[in-house]
Amino acid sequence: MPGGGSGGGEGDNLSMASDLPFLGPREATELQEFSRKPKRNVSRTLGELLQRVGDSTGDNNPASHQVFEVDHDPVYQPAAYMPFVLSFHNLTYSIKVRRKIIPSCFWRTVAHGSSGNVMEDKSGVKVLLNNISGEAREGEIMAVLGASGSGKSTLIDALADRISSESLKGIITLNGEILESKLLKVISAYVMQDDLLFPMLTVEETLMFSAEFRLPRTMSRSRKKARVQALIDQLGLRTAAKTVIGDEGHRGVSGGERRRVSIGTDIIHDPIMLFLDEPTSGLDSTSAYMVVKVLQRIAQSGSIVIMSIHQPSYRILSLLDRLIILSRGQTVFSGSPVTLPEFFAEYGYPIPANEDRTEFSLDYIRELEGTPGGTKSLVDFNKSWQMKNPRISHTNGTRRSLKDAISASISMGKLVSGSSNVDSNLSSSVPIFANPFWIEVLVIAKRSFTNSKRAPELFGVRFGAVLVTGIILATIFWKLDNTPKGVQERLGFFAFAMSTTFYTCAEAIPVFLLQRYIFVRETSYNAYRRSSYVVSHALMSIPSLLVLSLAFAVITYWSVGLAGGTSGFLFFLIFIFASFWAGSSFVTFLSGVIFNVMMAYTVVVAILAYFVLFSGFFITRDRIPNYWIWFHYLSLVKYPFQGVLQNEFDDPSKCFVRGIQVFDSSPLRAVPDEIKLKLLKSMSKTLGMNITSSTCLTTGSDILKQSGVTDIDKWSCLWITVALGFLFRILFYFALLIGSKNKRK
């Protein structure tokens, strides 16, 4: 093994890629020698080796293409000295299940059925973990096995602090000290079963963005690039480095490569503990073996690796150091894979010589689950076996305290977080986040821009919708005049235009929903702050909203013949942008609350319809019942609609109804003009005032009063619209804060 002090002669020239902590030289014979157990020595950490690269080559030379000397002075204590030991005792976790109304005879079948190992009692409580205990050590892989529903993923979640502390009973310690949730997030990483990656980023870009998030600002960009390049080589991803991850619509990397990229994004900062939920799921045997081989090297670099796996092959089993086999939340075996034959032989059910050990074990456990006694006899035998064959301690002398162990790991380049020492308060001495707020905002924005540039379909759809809507409105409302009909048509144009800006924002619903699980994965282990994501998301939306606003305003303003000249156009443009901003923020907030795309579309369309109804166009403010007036002021459409109306009709010198035009909105509009003039004279005598064919009867102020839009001035409407956009962004942040805990209750 490389970097361990025993794998080569003194002064050998080794490439940096072959001296990473978790992979050695990729000899052609590696796959042929899978059955031989590697020597339990501990390799150098990734950070320590890259420190040597940086010192010898400088920041201006790409370290991934350099050759350097690796001296063989010991980096770690001998492997027998175990600085990190994760222990868990009597872990128990249960949930309440809603009982369906079913016949009592069926309940008797469930309670006394053939399984004999009932996980759900009559009170509706289902036990997922039942007094699980064990120990995972640095330099080893601990695998949790079992059939579907046995509790594998639940145990991984419990150890990774993904279950609420109020619900999980038991004790979890690291080096004998209770492991705080805050510290665990900093020193560990969790790889989910699903590969949650951005499909339009290349392998290299994905790992580089992870490095930007996870590695501190004190590390130069060239050092980060060297780290990424070395990681690509050691994950066996060099040929796929420039290939996009891909999805259903874009051809990308293979399943095995995708899984290794997922692992790479979480180990770029060299965590002390690595949890993986079925990392080999869905992979062929060769890809699965290569993934576990990578995990073995990660463990040998000084990490604790704990993973769940459904049914490992013989080759994969040879790489594992410790097994925990579960059956319906209970431990039926705990120990080294080598002891499986001895365990079942003493139990009285020996494994045949030509049988696969794990396949035989799991099949037999399934058979027991179908018997009246269930696996109770095997669970009890395992307890007596553990007492009879206690795990031999490999520690020489006193085990390090947690503080000393973490401090030593950081000094040797592990857990690259920007901290050089550890004080008595572990949680405060190790930085929660590797980078400051503004760095995170810039990196998230850069990644978002790269993604959008390669998948412009979403913005293209929005831009096309705005363009088509603008052209339709411009041609329908072409050059409106100042007659009473023109006034009504203007009101209709503004109502439709303002509501359209909000409806087109509904196209942005999938933006966060498609990224939500990636966001949860990254923020769960402090890759960046939630506030950084919210701010970056808002900033990245502004350029596209400006383009949409400008396109819509330019197409419609002069075509419709709106008033105000250049100043009127600028105000109209600002209001269109404010509407897009408020609508986009509102839709973003809803996407943070509702996780189903179709449901989100339904809710958005319904609420926007209510906003339009109460905006003041269909029914004026003074005609809305008092018990609904609150909704009028909550309507996002009210303020931009009211603002553009005031912008259009606030010129006191402009007249919209003169003389006989007063009859245009009545049945008398068909009467000849001569008769209309006579009617005006009669009205003049009756009212005691002179009304001629040129007398102005309705000004813009009159129209605003008739429309009921004079309660708030146009500038206040603008600021309220903008403020509502910020309010929904703040609500989006709290939605993420509450909804992305990623913990079971």
Side-chain angles (χ1 to χ4, degrees):
M1 294 294 297
S6 60
E10 200 71 38
D12 290 342
N13 288 332
L14 301 173
S15 69
M16 183 191 70
S18 65
D19 279 280
L20 276 177
F22 41 85
L23 274 175
R26 288 177 286 172
E27 296 89 359
T29 60
E30 182 183 68
L31 291 179
Q32 300 172 1
E33 298 180 353
F34 61 87
S35 59
R36 188 177 359 174
K37 199 71 174 177
K39 291 183 180 180
R40 183 52 62 194
N41 63 322
V42 183
S43 308
R44 302 179 187 274
T45 64
L46 174 60
E48 202 275 340
L49 289 168
L50 288 174
Q51 176 74 35
R52 295 167 179 262
V53 176
D55 293 342
S56 61
T57 64
D59 286 342
N60 296 326
N61 298 323
S64 58
H65 303 289
Q66 301 293 326
V67 175
F68 64 97
E69 295 281 340
V70 177
D71 56 351
H72 293 271
D73 57 316
V75 177
Y76 279 101
Q77 296 285 350
Y81 190 87
M82 306 295 292
F84 289 112
V85 178
L86 179 70
S87 303
F88 47 98
H89 306 280
N90 303 322
L91 296 185
T92 301
Y93 173 58
S94 59
I95 59 174
K96 289 185 178 180
V97 181
R98 292 182 180 179
R99 289 179 55 183
K100 297 181 180 179
I101 301 176
I102 55 178
S104 59
C105 61
F106 181 79
W107 277 110
R108 286 194 295 271
T109 303
V110 172
H112 306 92
S114 60
S115 69
N117 192 3
V118 179
M119 293 299 295
E120 183 176 344
D121 57 25
K122 293 182 179 180
S123 64
V125 176
K126 186 175 183 180
V127 180
L128 301 182
L129 296 178
N130 190 358
N131 289 320
I132 305 295
S133 299
E135 186 178 86
R137 295 175 175 174
E138 175 183 323
E140 297 181 352
I141 299 178
M142 186 182 81
V144 184
L145 277 69
S148 298
S150 61
K152 302 187 302 295
S153 297
T154 305
L155 178 57
I156 297 295
D157 286 347
L159 297 176
D161 192 40
R162 290 162 62 88
I163 297 179
S164 172
S165 58
E166 291 80 13
S167 302
L168 181 66
K169 298 179 176 62
I171 300 174
I172 301 175
T173 62
L174 185 62
N175 283 25
E177 301 180 26
I178 298 295
L179 193 55
E180 298 179 14
S181 175
K182 185 178 178 182
L183 177 63
L184 178 63
K185 285 186 176 183
V186 177
I187 66 174
S188 66
Y190 184 96
V191 180
M192 297 181 179
Q193 184 174 349
D194 298 321
D195 298 317
L196 304 174
L197 304 168
F198 286 96
M200 299 314 296
L201 295 180
T202 66
V203 170
E204 184 176 8
E205 289 170 340
T206 300
L207 294 175
M208 191 63 206
F209 279 121
S210 180
E212 294 283 1
F213 287 130
R214 300 279 190 175
L215 304 182
R217 185 164 56 108
T218 53
M219 179 179 287
S220 66
R221 184 169 178 80
S222 61
R223 294 282 297 281
K224 291 177 182 177
K225 285 183 177 179
R227 196 179 188 93
V228 168
Q229 293 302 321
L231 187 58
I232 287 173
D233 285 331
Q234 302 311 318
L235 292 174
L237 296 170
R238 174 54 58 193
T239 57
K242 302 297 182 181
T243 306
V244 296
I245 300 298
D247 56 12
E248 295 82 359
H250 303 85
R251 186 175 179 83
V253 297
S254 67
E257 290 169 334
R258 185 191 300 265
R259 188 61 48 85
R260 279 176 274 161
V261 174
S262 294
I263 295 172
T265 58
D266 287 308
I267 64 171
I268 190 71
H269 64 304
D270 226 357
I272 292 173
M273 290 189 292
L274 181 62
F275 304 97
L276 305 100
D277 186 11
E278 298 201 24
T280 62
S281 176
L283 302 181
D284 60 78
S285 60
T286 302
S287 298
Y289 173 76
M290 292 301 296
V291 167
V292 179
K293 188 68 177 176
V294 168
L295 297 179
Q296 183 193 57
R297 304 292 174 75
I298 294 173
Q300 292 173 350
S301 73
S303 295
I304 298 173
V305 177
I306 304 175
M307 70 175 189
S308 62
I309 188 168
H310 185 69
Q311 187 167 318
S313 65
Y314 178 73
R315 293 195 302 170
I316 291 178
L317 191 66
S318 68
L319 302 178
L320 306 179
D321 300 284
R322 188 166 182 81
L323 295 181
I324 292 182
I325 302 179
L326 300 180
S327 172
R328 298 184 178 180
Q330 294 182 298
T331 306
V332 294
F333 174 78
S334 179
S336 170
V338 179
T339 63
L340 263 176
E342 180 184 354
F343 175 84
F344 278 96
E346 291 193 21
Y347 178 69
Y349 204 86
I351 301 175
N354 59 342
E355 287 279 350
D356 180 271
R357 285 174 288 175
T358 55
E359 184 177 352
F360 175 87
S361 304
L362 294 176
D363 288 345
Y364 178 64
I365 291 169
R366 288 192 191 96
E367 291 180 12
L368 287 180
E369 290 175 350
T371 62
T375 56
K376 185 177 185 304
S377 60
L378 192 59
V379 171
D380 293 339
F381 176 76
N382 176 65
K383 292 178 181 178
S384 62
W385 167 272
Q386 297 301 325
M387 296 179 64
K388 179 182 176 182
N389 302 283
R391 192 177 186 192
I392 300 173
S393 175
H394 293 283
T395 57
N396 294 334
T398 305
R399 181 184 296 166
R400 290 184 184 181
S401 68
L402 183 57
K403 170 191 169 183
D404 293 338
I406 293 179
S407 181
S409 292
I410 292 176
S411 66
M412 287 183 278
K414 204 166 183 64
L415 193 62
V416 185
S417 59
S419 176
S420 57
N421 53 24
V422 179
D423 58 27
S424 58
N425 189 347
L426 290 173
S427 297
S428 61
S429 62
V430 181
I432 297 177
F433 300 99
N435 292 287
F437 170 82
W438 64 273
I439 289 288
E440 294 174 350
V441 171
L442 291 178
V443 175
I444 296 172
K446 182 180 178 182
R447 184 176 67 177
S448 178
F449 175 76
T450 305
N451 244 334
S452 301
K453 183 176 62 175
R454 292 181 186 160
E457 298 86 2
L458 182 60
F459 177 75
V461 170
R462 293 185 67 189
F463 184 77
V466 169
L467 205 64
V468 171
T469 303
I471 293 173
I472 292 175
L473 290 177
T475 52
I476 289 180
F477 298 97
W478 180 263
K479 298 296 182 182
L480 298 179
D481 54 29
N482 293 330
T483 63
K485 283 187 178 181
V487 171
Q488 293 300 319
E489 290 166 351
R490 273 179 165 79
L491 293 176
F493 165 77
F494 287 127
F496 192 86
M498 293 301 104
S499 60
T500 297
T501 58
F502 287 93
Y503 275 109
T504 53
C505 290
E507 300 295 333
I509 289 176
V511 171
F512 175 71
L513 290 181
L514 294 175
Q515 301 176 6
R516 180 179 181 274
Y517 292 105
I518 300 177
F519 166 83
V520 170
R521 174 179 64 82
E522 292 176 332
T523 55
S524 293
Y525 286 82
N526 300 337
Y528 50 80
R529 299 166 180 83
R530 293 173 178 85
S531 57
S532 302
Y533 181 87
V534 172
V535 171
S536 180
H537 190 279
L539 292 176
M540 286 303 298
S541 69
I542 291 177
S544 61
L545 297 182
L546 280 173
V547 173
L548 296 176
S549 304
L550 187 62
F552 186 80
V554 168
I555 291 173
T556 58
Y557 187 81
W558 286 285
S559 301
V560 176
L562 301 182
T566 303
S567 60
F569 169 77
L570 291 176
F571 194 86
F572 179 71
L573 173 62
I574 293 173
F575 247 117
I576 294 296
F577 173 74
S579 300
F580 275 122
W581 162 252
S584 175
S585 300
F586 172 71
V587 169
T588 300
F589 161 65
L590 285 183
S591 67
V593 176
I594 305 172
F595 306 144
N596 182 278
V597 175
M598 295 308 299
M599 187 181 296
Y601 271 120
T602 302
V603 172
V604 166
V605 171
I607 294 179
L608 289 180
Y610 302 147
F611 285 163
V612 174
L613 176 63
F614 287 95
S615 64
F617 172 70
F618 294 101
I619 180 171
T620 58
R621 176 175 52 87
D622 57 330
R623 299 284 294 173
I624 297 176
N626 291 332
Y627 49 82
W628 280 118
I629 196 66
W630 60 272
F631 209 120
H632 171 70
Y633 286 99
L634 284 180
S635 173
L636 292 179
V637 183
K638 164 189 166 60
Y639 302 102
F641 175 66
Q642 186 166 322
V644 292
L645 280 185
Q646 292 183 16
N647 185 54
E648 181 69 15
F649 297 111
D650 65 352
D651 186 356
S653 63
K654 201 170 220 180
C655 185
F656 293 92
V657 179
R658 291 182 181 275
I660 60 175
Q661 289 180 338
V662 73
F663 302 110
D664 288 355
S665 57
S666 71
L668 297 175
R669 63 181 179 274
V671 175
D673 291 350
E674 295 80 8
I675 298 177
K676 291 178 182 177
L677 289 171
K678 291 179 180 180
L679 290 173
L680 284 180
K681 289 180 181 180
S682 299
M683 291 171 61
S684 299
K685 291 178 182 179
T686 302
L687 297 173
M689 57 186 297
N690 185 28
I691 303 177
T692 66
S693 59
S694 60
T695 302
C696 183
L697 300 178
T698 303
T699 63
S701 299
D702 297 323
I703 294 173
L704 294 177
K705 290 178 182 177
Q706 293 170 10
S707 303
V709 294
T710 57
D711 56 323
I712 305 175
D713 65 82
K714 66 179 184 180
W715 285 106
S716 297
C717 288
L718 176 61
W719 300 130
I720 291 174
T721 305
V722 174
L724 285 173
F726 281 105
L727 173 63
F728 284 116
R729 294 288 174 175
I730 294 172
L731 292 177
F732 176 54
Y733 167 73
F734 285 108
L736 297 184
L737 199 62
I738 297 171
S740 62
K741 295 293 185 182
N742 203 30
K743 277 191 178 185
R744 304 192 197 186
K745 294 183 179 179

